Amino acid sequence: MRPELTPELEAWRAEVRGFLDAELPEGHAFNPEFDDAPEQWAIAVEFSKKFAAKGWIGLTWPKAYGGKELPPVANQILLEELYAADAPLINSVGIFLAAGTILVGGTEEQKKRLLPDIANMRTLWAEGLTEPGAGSDLGSLRTKAVREGDDWVITGEKAFTSWGPMSDVLYVAARTSPDAELRDAVSIFVVDLKSPGVTLHPMRNYGGGVQSSTFLDHVRVPGSALIGEEGKGWQYIMRAFYASGTVEPIYAMQEARLRDLVKHCKNIPGKLDDPHVRADLAELAGIVQTQRLLAYEIIGDNAHGRQTAWGGGVQQVAAKEYEPLFAQIYDRVLGPSSQLRSGKYAPLNGKPEAWYRQSFANHAGGTSQLKRMVLATRGLGLPR
């Protein structure tokens, strides 16, 4: 079952595919979150700038801020094709989290100053939410920002900062009111990563990408670095993830990988005669279709003003919990050879070995346990 699209939207999908066919030479499709060697990063930057030149970043944004004011479904189609092709688009923190925050809470001056630089790939953003003792739970946030005259002085530590060494600015959540309730205590700042007092300690993660421990030692920023209003950071973060009206289409990437797996199985005599293999392939297809239908339910709700209290939490729980499960079943179909990274006996050029490790990046944006808590409290009204 697939959502039915208009001829105009199908033509749009064909246009996006044509661009990707032209700009993604064979071997240059990869995930820059994990494949970030200097030569790969240079390819990702070049591709991303061509993508930005098409005006496709901020497809749903107002035109006044560098967008095209297209409906969310058009943006979903764009994202689906990017994910299916493993297109190396960078600056996801800027495009989604930072831009979403600026759109829902930024001042008019900030929207006109910051959003065009994101849309044109002139400013790359890193994320400064997670801390050593505060991951999905922002209630444990310890980084603080203190007002000094017209400036703010920020002190704290952030963990797992993706793309820190390659970025220009940091999206920082900090406490600006230590005694207030959480919903009124957090504010959002944009911090130049070259500011005195900012130190990055890069490290490799389990999936092969680079993340950093980021130290903010009395970093002074101007008053204009505060995005929107003081104390509104919690609301901005919660709304930022849904500002585009679309959903991260991990299912499109999984569907492309499933097609490759089926093709691989067809080339092995008798492989598809195994009922266990057929059952596993059917389960993988079900995982893909479940996520697609949940995603388009959210898009339909957004398009028709049917906002839910849990903000698409069901889809997010499914996506986060299906991601490692999909990789596990995938490797089971391939068998022990799925662990091989290279060589003539490594299936699908050794990529599945990394896919399983990388699937555990599903905690980004909040763990599935956190999303279940949101469903319970906001959706069902249960006590915490």
Side-chain angles (χ1 to χ4, degrees):
M1 179 177 178
R2 289 178 177 271
E4 184 175 343
L5 301 177
T6 65
E8 292 78 12
L9 288 173
E10 292 292 1
W12 165 237
R13 187 185 295 277
E15 181 181 350
V16 175
R17 286 182 179 176
F19 169 80
L20 293 173
D21 289 342
E23 300 300 340
L24 283 178
E26 186 175 357
H28 285 176
F30 60 92
N31 185 343
E33 186 166 355
F34 302 105
D35 301 328
D36 53 14
E39 62 275 14
Q40 295 287 72
W41 187 256
I43 291 170
V45 170
E46 180 182 6
F47 169 81
S48 298
K49 288 184 176 180
K50 290 179 179 178
F51 183 89
K54 299 285 290 185
W56 289 353
I57 294 177
L59 212 62
T60 59
W61 302 356
K63 293 179 180 178
Y65 310 133
K68 288 186 175 291
E69 297 184 12
L70 293 182
V73 67
N75 199 44
Q76 190 70 15
I77 290 170
L78 174 65
L79 295 176
E80 286 177 347
E81 295 304 315
L82 287 173
Y83 273 68
D86 271 336
L89 182 68
I90 61 175
N91 205 27
S92 61
V93 174
I95 295 170
F96 298 105
L97 177 59
T101 299
I102 296 164
L103 283 167
V104 301
T107 65
E108 189 67 17
E109 184 276 332
Q110 287 172 335
K111 291 175 182 178
K112 291 181 177 178
R113 171 168 54 90
L114 299 174
L115 290 175
D117 283 348
I118 296 174
N120 292 296
M121 207 62 68
R122 289 192 293 261
T123 302
L124 304 185
W125 291 65
E127 176 256 302
L129 290 178
T130 304
E131 297 185 1
S136 298
D137 181 14
L138 281 179
S140 301
L141 196 71
R142 294 184 179 180
T143 296
K144 63 180 181 179
V146 178
R147 191 190 297 273
E148 290 190 2
D150 293 332
D151 298 337
W152 290 90
V153 177
I154 304 175
T155 303
E157 178 184 352
K158 297 296 180 177
F160 308 120
T161 302
S162 297
W163 307 298
M166 301 89 142
S167 299
D168 303 303
V169 298
L170 184 68
Y171 178 104
V172 176
R175 283 186 176 270
T176 49
S177 179
D179 300 323
E181 293 292 329
L182 173 63
R183 293 180 65 87
D184 302 314
V186 178
S187 300
I188 304 300
F189 297 87
V190 51
V191 176
D192 189 327
L193 282 166
K194 296 184 178 64
S195 301
V198 178
T199 305
L200 295 172
H201 288 181
M203 59 182 178
R204 284 286 160 185
N205 61 33
Y206 183 64
V210 64
Q211 293 178 308
S212 300
S213 294
T214 305
F215 298 90
L216 305 165
D217 185 8
H218 294 85
V219 179
R220 183 175 293 275
V221 298
S224 60
L226 172 67
I227 297 179
E229 298 181 42
E230 179 183 347
K232 298 293 185 181
W234 174 270
Q235 294 93 316
Y236 294 161
I237 293 169
M238 294 299 103
R239 295 171 60 197
F241 288 112
Y242 313 113
S244 69
T246 51
V247 176
E248 184 182 14
I250 295 173
Y251 59 83
M253 176 179 65
Q254 292 170 339
E255 186 173 40
R257 293 175 179 177
L258 177 57
R259 286 195 295 266
D260 289 340
L261 180 60
V262 172
K263 182 179 179 181
H264 172 80
C265 290
K266 287 180 177 179
N267 291 330
I268 301 176
K271 184 77 170 178
L272 291 178
D273 294 331
D274 186 334
H276 298 290
V277 171
R278 294 200 304 271
D280 280 344
L281 293 175
E283 185 170 358
L284 293 176
I287 287 173
V288 169
Q289 296 299 344
T290 298
Q291 292 177 85
R292 174 181 283 112
L293 292 175
L294 287 171
Y296 274 86
E297 179 184 39
I298 293 170
I299 294 168
D301 285 344
N302 289 335
H304 294 90
R306 298 189 298 264
Q307 298 297 322
T308 60
W310 48 90
V314 174
Q315 186 276 335
Q316 292 184 30
V317 168
K320 288 175 179 296
E321 297 186 355
Y322 275 145
E323 194 168 358
L325 178 62
F326 185 94
Q328 182 179 13
I329 297 172
Y330 200 102
D331 287 356
R332 188 167 68 208
V333 172
L334 291 174
S337 62
S338 67
Q339 300 173 65
L340 300 177
R341 299 186 183 186
S342 60
K344 66 178 182 179
Y345 297 110
L348 303 176
N349 299 316
K351 293 180 181 179
E353 184 278 330
W355 292 342
Y356 181 73
R357 287 184 286 108
Q358 294 165 2
S359 70
F360 289 95
N362 63 344
H363 64 278
T367 64
S368 64
Q369 292 87 348
L370 174 70
K371 301 303 181 184
R372 287 179 179 274
M373 183 179 69
V374 172
L375 285 172
T377 55
R378 299 186 191 178
L380 299 176
L382 299 177
R384 293 192 62 169

